[in-house]
C-alpha cells in the first residue's frame, strides 16, 4: 500500500490522490489500508519518511564516492542529481511538491518538509566546512539554492533539457571558488 501511495502521491500529488486510488493501485480494500494506516494523513506521514530515506540514500551515496574529498563529494551529488532530474518520469522534489500542495505552514507535512530542508542545509554546511570553504555558510546556502533551482527547472524546462547537463559544472565552479582549488576535473 505504501508503494502504491508513493507512486501516486509523487506522480499526481498527495492532495489529489484519494484513498480509493491508493487501494485500487495496491489491489487491496479500504479496510486493509485502514488496518495499517489509521488515516490518509498517516499514509502521507509514512510517504514523507520513506522519501526522506531515499533522498538521504542518494545524497550520502554521492558524497561517499569521494570519502576523502568533501568538495568532490558535493560536486558528485550534483552530477548524480543531473542524471536523476533528467529522467522522463522525474517529477521534481517530492518535498517541494508537498510543500506547494499544503499552504498552511503549520500543517504537519509542511513542518516535515521544512525540517528536512534545515537538515539538508546543515549537512551542506558540514561538507562545505570539511572541504575548507572560506565561507562555508555562503557556500552551503548557494548550493541549497542550486538544488532547489534544479528541482524547479527539471519541471519547467522538462526532461532532457540542457540545464540539467550544466548542473554539475555550475556546482563545480561554485565549490572551486569557495575552496580555492580544482575539484573533480
Amino acid at each position: 500500500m505504501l508503494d502504491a501511495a508513493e507512486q501516486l502521491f509523487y506522480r499526481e500529488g498527495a492532495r489529489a490522490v484519494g484513498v480509493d486510488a491508493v487501494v485500487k493501485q495496491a489491489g487491496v480494500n479500504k479496510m486493509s489500508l485502514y488496518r495499517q494506516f489509521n488515516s490518509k494523513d498517516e499514509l502521507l506521514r509514512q510517504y514523507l519518511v520513506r522519501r526522506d530515506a531515499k533522498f538521504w540514500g542518494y545524497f550520502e551515496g554521492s558524497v561517499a564516492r569521494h570519502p576523502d574529498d568533501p568538495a568532490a563529494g558535493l560536486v558528485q551529488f550534483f552530477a548524480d542529481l543531473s542524471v536523476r532530474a533528467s529522467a522522463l518520469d522525474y517529477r521534481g522534489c517530492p518535498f517541494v511538491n508537498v510543500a506547494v500542495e499544503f499552504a498552511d505552514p503549520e500543517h504537519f507535512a509542511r513542518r516535515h518538509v521544512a525540517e528536512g530542508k534545515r537538515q539538508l542545509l546543515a549537512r551542506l554546511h558540514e561538507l562545505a566546512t570539511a572541504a575548507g570553504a572560506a565561507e562555508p555558510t555562503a557556500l552551503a546556502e548557494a548550493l541549497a539554492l542550486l538544488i532547489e533551482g534544479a528541482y524547479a527547472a527539471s519541471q519547467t524546462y522538462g526532461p532532457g533539457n540542457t540545464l540539467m547537463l550544466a548542473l554539475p559544472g555550475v556546482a563545480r565552479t561554485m565549490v572551486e571558488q569557495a575552496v580555492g582549488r580544482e575539484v573533480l576535473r
Side-chain angles (χ1 to χ4, degrees), residues 78-79 81-83 85-86 158 160-172:
F78 286 93
L81 176 58
S82 73
V83 172
S86 296
N161 73 74
T162 57
L163 291 179
M164 289 305 110
L165 299 176
L167 184 59
V170 172
R172 180 181 303 106

Side-chain angles (χ1 to χ4, degrees), residues 5-137:
E6 182 175 7
Q7 291 169 8
L8 290 168
F9 288 175
Y10 184 66
R11 188 176 66 231
E12 298 176 24
R15 289 191 93 149
V17 172
V19 171
D20 290 335
V22 174
V23 297
K24 182 178 179 184
Q25 175 93 6
V28 299
N29 61 38
K30 278 188 187 180
M31 189 60 101
S32 296
L33 184 135
Y34 286 118
R35 271 194 296 262
Q36 190 168 354
F37 305 97
N38 62 7
S39 66
K40 183 180 172 190
D41 280 352
E42 183 57 31
L43 188 60
L44 177 57
R45 281 183 213 280
Q46 293 305 313
Y47 164 74
L48 292 169
V49 167
R50 181 185 266 197
R51 292 309 300 220
D52 273 338
K54 283 186 177 186
F55 171 77
W56 287 110
Y58 294 144
F59 187 91
E60 296 301 341
S62 293
V63 172
R65 291 179 61 189
H66 303 281
D68 298 324
D69 189 350
L74 284 167
V75 174
Q76 184 66 54
F77 169 74
F78 286 93
D80 295 343
L81 176 58
S82 73
V83 172
R84 277 195 319 280
S86 296
L88 293 176
D89 63 345
Y90 189 72
R91 288 277 300 125
C93 174
F95 306 109
V96 171
N97 297 346
V98 165
V100 168
E101 288 187 84
F102 296 92
D104 179 3
E106 295 305 312
H107 189 277
F108 78 87
R110 284 287 297 270
R111 288 194 320 265
H112 183 100
V113 170
E115 178 57 28
K117 296 299 182 175
R118 278 190 290 276
Q119 290 173 2
L120 174 59
L121 187 57
R123 183 68 174 119
L124 290 169
H125 188 272
E126 179 182 296
L127 289 165
T129 300
E135 296 180 41
T137 299

